[in-house]
Amino acid sequence: MLRITEIKLPLIEAENIKHQDAQIKDALLTKLQIPETELIRFEIFKRGVDARKSHAILYVYNIDAEVKNEAKLLAKFKKDPHVKPAPDTSYQFVATQNNAQTQRPIVVGFGPAGIFAALILAQAGFKPIVLERGKQVRERTQDTWGLWRKRKLNPESNVQFGEGGAGTFSDGKLYSQIKDPKHLGRKVLQEFVKAGAPEEILYVSHPHIGTFKLVSMVEEMRNTIINLGGEIRFDSRVTKIDIQDQQVQGVTLQTGEYLATQHLVLAVGHSARDTFEMVYNKGVYIEAKPFSIGFRIEHPQNLIDRARYGKSYSEDILKKLGAADYRLVHHAQNGRSVYSFCMCPGGTVVAAASEPNRVVTNGMSQYSRNERNANAGIVVGITPEVDYPDHPLAGVELQRQLESHAFILGGSDYSAPGQLIGDFLANKPSTEFGEVTPSYTPGVHLTNLDSALPEFAITAIREAIPAFAKQIPNFDLADGVLTGVETRTSSPIRIKRDDDTLQSINTKGLFPCGEGAGYAGGILSAAVDGIKVAEAVSLSMAAS
């Protein structure tokens, strides 16, 4: 199989995909200088968009092609960087269960990392037990709506906790900048497609799924794990890890039930603060890590579309490419970096609290991305060395302080504090909304956000927004809305693990995994980390 890269073709309607296939075939034959009889088959490996020239936006394809006389063609194009052998992206199991093994591995948490850790272990025959503190995804969705519609928070079943993890209520982005030499990301996408995701996620450059599709996919993956001999328990919060002589021996649930295991995957999310405290108190090595804090910003999606597509903007372009997104970074004069985070085209700002009397925001989109507003986190990076140096869990305490203050600023009823962009830049309270209606439910209480974050963060964001407007005209739209606070950008801690065994550096049999443990950020990277940890557990169990 050959991989031919950088094949550029004009944009085309999705319903004309067969015509696009014909164009791709013609481009392949021209590039390889072969007759059609020598091309056996081809498939799209990746499709991106080149929008550097707004008047001439192009699709850019990487194509895998099977041809006759492959060696001859490789020799002919040996100096051409765009014609190379296609790498083998098929997944290979590192170990499988043997009949002598009686003890089962336990996976704590059933978000992306826990799902894929359990799935790989189940596929390899190890029959994992999954312990998820929250509820099944559809029950969890009802509880989440309870906060959004009725201001009623369930601390065990919400945006953060429950089947599918925090990523279930997000834009469902499935791309990452992690290094992936074993092509584990491909395995993740293939399993998602098996579970019902659209096949396009295998080849579009920035795939996303959206919340509604994720719900049914998570259910399908749960059933797959169960059918392979796995066991999944909901409403099962781990309250104690049994560690003897620096070796995990088992866990205790909130019911008092004890489960023995010497292979424990800790795949909790970035909001499992009580678990972080429990693990720290058991003597497991934890260190503080950087994360970011800020606000959600909302603009009319049409404003972002027109700015990003430029002269090519039209209803036709929107049908072909969908709602536009952005990625922005500004290095402020006070030394802080401000950047856009988890941008959600055509999405909504959602209430993401998991503890009573606190307010947290996040962004979410459906697959269609057709809501009226665009939103993104505008956040400032912070570090333990400078901002919370006193304790490994000091970042958690900082998050709690900011979220508690946001609850008060919002009126102490789970409304979020908000401010118009123009008023924020002028440092004056907002009193009424303009052309942008905020999407956050249960509601936004207008105020002055000046006290919502540390002074350095407010100063940096006030400097960054006008700077961003130089890249996206009207980004500083006076009637745009800022909603606070965004504090759960990533885990504030890292449960440090050995680079080779992926076990805790001071607790054998404990496998920190995914975003909560500090080793991922987002659905895809968390899922990939789940596979890596599952492989490490498989090797350890096969050797025991």
Side-chain angles (χ1 to χ4, degrees):
M1 187 78 77
L2 297 177
R3 177 159 298 165
I4 301 92
T5 60
E6 293 291 308
I7 292 179
K8 297 185 178 183
L9 295 172
L11 299 185
I12 182 170
E13 296 283 8
E15 55 265 29
N16 293 330
I17 194 65
K18 290 184 178 180
H19 175 57
Q20 188 79 91
D21 285 348
Q23 288 184 319
I24 292 172
K25 178 187 286 187
D26 289 343
L28 273 175
L29 297 176
T30 300
K31 173 64 179 178
L32 297 177
Q33 301 171 25
I34 59 174
E36 185 174 352
T37 54
E38 292 190 18
L39 177 62
I40 300 172
R41 66 181 182 90
F42 69 91
E43 62 184 27
I44 301 170
F45 179 76
K46 190 67 65 179
R47 187 188 73 196
V49 176
D50 183 351
R52 288 174 294 179
K53 296 180 180 179
S54 61
H55 63 282
I57 301 176
L58 300 170
Y59 282 138
V60 182
Y61 291 93
N62 293 349
I63 304 296
D64 286 352
E66 185 178 353
V67 298
K68 298 177 182 178
N69 301 315
E70 179 177 310
K72 182 179 178 180
L73 279 176
L74 284 172
K76 180 179 179 179
F77 289 96
K78 64 181 180 180
K79 294 184 179 181
D80 189 333
H82 300 302
V83 181
K84 297 292 181 184
D88 181 5
T89 61
S90 60
Y91 182 73
Q92 305 295 326
F93 290 93
V94 298
T96 55
Q97 191 264 355
N98 63 61
N99 293 330
Q101 294 158 353
T102 56
Q103 203 175 72
R104 299 165 70 179
I106 291 178
V107 178
V108 180
F110 203 52
I115 289 172
F116 274 87
L119 179 66
I120 295 300
L121 288 168
Q123 289 176 341
F126 290 100
K127 299 180 180 179
I129 299 172
V130 177
L131 304 175
E132 167 56 52
R133 68 188 295 168
K135 298 180 181 180
Q136 292 186 8
V137 66
R138 293 191 187 272
E139 295 178 64
R140 175 194 176 198
T141 300
Q142 293 300 314
D143 290 333
T144 300
W145 281 106
L147 174 60
W148 295 354
R149 292 176 173 175
K150 301 178 181 179
R151 304 177 190 270
K152 183 178 179 181
L153 172 68
N154 184 335
E156 296 295 332
S157 181
N158 46 63
V159 166
Q160 309 297 346
F161 298 144
E163 184 178 27
T168 303
F169 299 97
S170 71
D171 186 53
K173 295 180 180 66
L174 297 177
Y175 49 92
S176 174
Q177 296 180 343
I178 59 171
K179 295 180 180 179
D180 188 17
K182 293 177 65 178
H183 309 288
L184 300 182
R186 190 72 175 175
K187 169 69 169 173
V188 172
L189 297 180
Q190 289 170 341
E191 293 294 343
F192 278 150
V193 170
K194 288 180 185 178
E199 288 194 18
E200 69 178 37
I201 70 170
L202 293 171
Y203 61 83
V204 296
S205 58
H206 291 89
H208 80 105
I209 299 176
T211 292
F212 287 167
K213 289 183 181 293
L214 278 167
V215 167
S216 59
M217 289 164 52
V218 166
E219 290 178 318
E220 184 63 27
M221 297 182 81
R222 177 220 305 163
N223 292 333
T224 298
I225 293 167
I226 293 172
N227 290 336
L228 290 169
E231 178 183 347
I232 301 176
R233 301 189 186 186
F234 296 100
D235 299 304
S236 297
R237 179 166 53 89
V238 173
T239 57
K240 181 181 178 181
I241 299 176
D242 181 15
I243 301 171
Q244 300 177 23
D245 298 325
Q246 296 186 310
Q247 166 69 55
V248 167
Q249 298 293 344
V251 297
T252 301
L253 306 184
Q254 87 275 18
T255 59
E257 182 181 4
Y258 180 85
L259 298 173
T261 188
Q262 291 190 332
H263 294 84
L264 179 65
V265 178
L266 194 62
V268 297
H270 58 38
S271 297
R273 294 164 173 173
D274 51 357
T275 303
F276 300 159
E277 292 167 359
M278 179 265 290
V279 170
Y280 176 79
N281 290 334
K282 290 296 295 184
V284 176
Y285 182 83
I286 290 180
E287 60 188 16
K289 63 172 278 295
F291 62 104
S292 299
I293 55 175
F295 304 123
R296 278 274 145 183
I297 193 167
E298 287 189 272
H299 300 90
Q301 179 61 48
N302 181 264
L303 182 152
I304 304 301
D305 293 336
R306 290 180 180 277
R308 301 305 280 172
Y309 293 138
K311 295 179 181 179
S312 291
Y313 173 82
S314 66
E315 289 300 317
D316 183 54
I317 284 291
L318 289 179
K319 290 179 181 178
K320 293 173 181 177
L321 297 181
D325 62 6
Y326 58 79
R327 293 181 64 185
L328 301 167
V329 179
H330 175 71
H331 301 289
Q333 292 182 7
N334 65 3
R336 301 288 179 162
S337 292
V338 185
Y339 63 97
S340 60
F341 169 77
C342 187
M343 194 272 160
C344 297
T348 56
V349 180
V350 299
S354 57
E355 294 177 328
N357 301 331
R358 295 191 169 100
V359 164
V360 188
T361 63
N362 195 14
M364 185 181 87
S365 293
Q366 300 300 343
Y367 179 72
S368 60
R369 289 177 165 175
N370 62 359
E371 298 293 334
R372 65 183 181 275
N373 290 350
N375 79 78
I378 299 297
V379 297
V380 181
I382 57 176
T383 65
E385 294 80 11
V386 175
D387 302 305
Y388 42 102
D390 299 330
H391 191 277
L393 300 179
V396 172
E397 182 57 31
L398 175 60
Q399 288 177 325
R400 283 174 164 159
Q401 290 173 3
L402 296 174
E403 293 163 14
S404 295
H405 185 54
F407 182 78
I408 295 170
L409 281 177
S412 300
D413 62 356
Y414 292 106
S415 293
Q419 190 173 14
L420 304 191
I421 293 173
D423 293 337
F424 173 77
L425 296 177
N427 192 18
K428 65 179 184 180
S430 295
T431 57
E432 61 180 353
F433 296 110
E435 67 172 284
V436 178
T437 301
S439 57
Y440 177 98
T441 57
V444 175
H445 174 72
L446 286 175
T447 182
N448 191 336
L449 292 174
D450 192 61
S451 68
L453 298 174
E455 182 181 359
F456 68 81
I458 295 292
T459 299
I461 294 173
R462 281 198 176 117
E463 179 185 321
I465 290 175
F468 291 155
K470 295 179 181 179
Q471 301 178 58
I472 298 179
N474 292 321
F475 195 84
D476 55 355
L477 178 73
D479 282 353
V481 178
L482 292 165
T483 308
V485 288
E486 180 98 6
T487 53
R488 312 283 182 94
T489 51
S490 67
S491 180
I493 61 100
R494 177 175 290 112
I495 306 173
K496 198 167 184 179
R497 68 191 187 192
D498 180 80
D499 290 340
D500 296 323
T501 67
L502 303 192
Q503 297 179 55
S504 161
I505 60 171
N506 72 340
T507 307
K508 188 176 180 182
L510 179 65
F511 296 80
C513 180
E515 189 156 356
Y519 287 96
I523 295 173
L524 184 65
S525 64
V528 167
D529 200 60
I531 295 177
K532 291 179 180 178
V533 168
E535 291 179 343
V537 171
S538 299
L539 289 170
S540 178
M541 294 190 71
S544 60

